[in-house]
Amino acid sequence: MIQAWTKLYPDDEIHLLAGNAFGAEFVLHRSPLISKTHFISVNASGFEKFAFFRSLRAEKFDVAVLPFDAQPNFLVAGTYIARIPLRIRHLHPAVLSNRFKAVATIFLSTKTHLVPVLAGRHETDLNMDLLRAYHRQPVTDVFPTIVNWQEHPEVLSKYNLQSNQYLLIQPGAANGLFKVKAWPPQHFGKLISQLHENFSQYKIVLVGDQGDLDTNISELYQYLPEKVKSVVINTAGETNIPDLLTLIKGASLIVCHDSGTMHLADALEKPLIALYGPTDFSRTRPLKPTSTVLFAKGNYFNAMYNFKYTESELSEMGIGYEAMANLSVDEVLKSITDKLQ
């Protein structure tokens, strides 16, 4: 969407607003597409947030663009404090099911274009819908997903790695908070053991954040033989987004869940195997020809379609690893073997 915007409006400045815990601003760090990035922590006090948005008045923004997954209430209110005259934002389906939120949305919709989040529509197209609402004309150009990657060779040196000599595996999902979209750790344990046996020329590298380490990866180690534990390299909890990008770029192949790691690997056009179960595949699937998607087609397949359920809601229903369990190790191993050969 940003690429399309700059083509239509080459004289516009595009600023990013960041501040969540995941470091998404690094995806376009130092990109020529971005004029400036502003930071406000989601955990900042109300006074700090008010002062921050008030300071943005000096930028004299013309429009704020708010995708459905990036419009917390304080941010929407902040665009008014910053005196931004126009908002282009998605009307999230979940808002429609809550009367109070619906009223609040209408109240905060002054000088706002509300763009529907259509079922079965990929997120890249949903974001393009925001641009179309602003442009008020068809926008037909299709741009690939990109990331502004800059190599950090010291990351490979730290873990004694060389490019194209290791396989990257993400055993966790949802930052370790929910197990419903994660492949069972015993499956990963069996897969890694077979990879070590059949593809010993490759090192096995695990990635994830601290939450993944504390939950999924800690459980995974219970299913690894001692001889395999000694050769697995665990980077989880030790890396940021630029580090992760370097690890992805140097890998021969990536196996991961529907996640930020998946989208980064897809953007870098690395050989990727994405493991899907309850997630809405139509909205988040990787799009590059280098990516392969495997499905756990059990009772909870595609349960999150069109926001019917969230990861949290499925977890509260007592659903965990079983949601992904019927995707077999043999199926994943065959896909890996096909790509490596």
Side-chain angles (χ1 to χ4, degrees):
M1 183 267 285
I2 293 174
Q3 294 174 83
W5 193 297
T6 57
K7 182 176 180 179
L8 289 171
Y9 303 100
D11 295 329
D12 280 6
E13 287 190 12
I14 296 179
H15 293 216
L16 292 183
L17 179 58
N20 65 22
F22 306 118
E25 64 274 8
F26 288 111
V27 173
L28 290 177
H29 187 54
R30 296 180 180 176
S31 167
L33 295 171
I34 304 302
S35 300
K36 188 175 181 180
T37 301
H38 306 268
F39 296 87
I40 178 64
S41 171
V42 294
N43 298 318
S45 68
F47 176 80
E48 290 171 327
K49 289 175 180 175
F50 178 85
F52 169 80
F53 286 109
R54 194 175 188 279
S55 71
L56 292 184
R57 294 177 182 177
E59 300 287 354
K60 297 182 179 179
F61 292 118
D62 297 299
V63 59
V65 181
L66 305 171
F68 72 88
D69 56 352
Q71 47 177 316
N73 292 335
F74 84 87
L75 176 56
V76 177
T79 63
Y80 290 90
I81 297 171
R83 294 179 178 170
I84 301 176
L86 176 64
R87 275 143 294 283
I88 308 291
R89 60 177 295 204
H90 280 132
L91 181 58
H92 197 297
V95 173
L96 300 178
S97 63
N98 186 303
R99 186 174 301 175
F100 174 79
K101 288 184 178 180
V103 172
T105 297
I106 294 171
F107 176 75
L108 291 175
S109 295
T110 306
K111 297 182 180 178
T112 298
H113 288 313
L114 294 173
V115 181
V117 177
L118 303 178
R121 196 161 176 79
H122 197 273
E123 286 188 4
T124 55
D125 294 315
L126 291 173
N127 289 330
M128 286 295 291
D129 289 341
L130 297 172
L131 173 56
R132 294 183 182 106
Y134 180 79
H135 190 55
R136 298 192 178 187
Q137 294 182 43
V139 180
T140 57
D141 287 330
V142 178
F143 291 88
T145 304
I146 62 168
V147 58
N148 197 51
W149 177 73
Q150 295 176 314
E151 185 174 9
H152 291 260
E154 69 278 4
V155 177
L156 298 187
S157 299
K158 177 182 177 179
Y159 297 105
N160 194 27
L161 297 171
Q162 294 184 357
S163 292
N164 299 313
Q165 294 187 17
Y166 62 92
L167 310 178
L168 201 70
I169 295 179
Q170 176 205 38
N175 313 105
L177 294 174
F178 312 111
K179 299 178 180 180
V180 68
K181 61 186 285 187
W183 207 39
Q186 57 266 41
H187 287 27
F188 272 117
K190 184 177 179 180
L191 176 69
I192 291 171
S193 296
Q194 293 188 9
L195 289 175
H196 176 64
E197 180 178 345
N198 299 331
F199 298 97
S200 58
Q201 69 271 34
Y202 294 104
K203 294 182 177 181
I204 306 295
V205 178
L206 307 182
V207 294
D209 63 13
Q210 188 64 45
D212 298 322
L213 176 62
D214 294 341
T215 304
N216 312 92
I217 295 176
S218 295
E219 295 182 37
L220 161 64
Y221 269 86
Q222 300 174 26
Y223 298 96
L224 291 177
E226 290 300 324
K227 65 177 182 179
V228 178
K229 286 182 183 178
S230 63
V231 298
V232 169
I233 299 171
N234 178 34
T235 71
E238 300 178 358
T239 56
N240 55 26
I241 295 295
D243 297 338
L244 176 60
L245 283 166
T246 296
L247 290 170
I248 291 172
K249 186 66 175 180
S252 295
L253 179 141
I254 297 95
V255 179
C256 63
H257 302 103
D258 170 30
S259 62
T261 298
M262 180 195 75
H263 292 298
L264 294 175
D266 186 61
L268 291 172
E269 297 187 87
K270 298 296 295 185
L272 166 69
I273 297 173
L275 311 181
Y276 268 79
T279 307
D280 185 349
F281 166 75
S282 65
R283 183 167 56 83
T284 66
R285 68 189 183 279
L287 299 176
K288 299 292 177 65
T290 45
S291 297
T292 298
V293 179
L294 301 180
F295 298 102
K297 292 188 176 180
N299 294 333
Y300 307 103
F301 173 65
N302 213 23
M304 296 164 62
Y305 177 75
N306 197 30
F307 307 98
K308 181 177 180 180
Y309 294 106
T310 64
E311 297 164 6
S312 175
E313 289 169 341
L314 290 173
S315 181
E316 289 172 359
M317 294 164 59
I319 302 167
Y321 291 128
E322 66 269 23
M324 294 281 289
N326 75 338
L327 173 59
S328 72
V329 175
D330 288 344
E331 185 177 354
V332 178
L333 182 62
K334 181 182 184 305
S335 187
I336 292 173
T337 301
D338 291 344
K339 281 188 177 291
L340 291 178
Q341 290 179 345

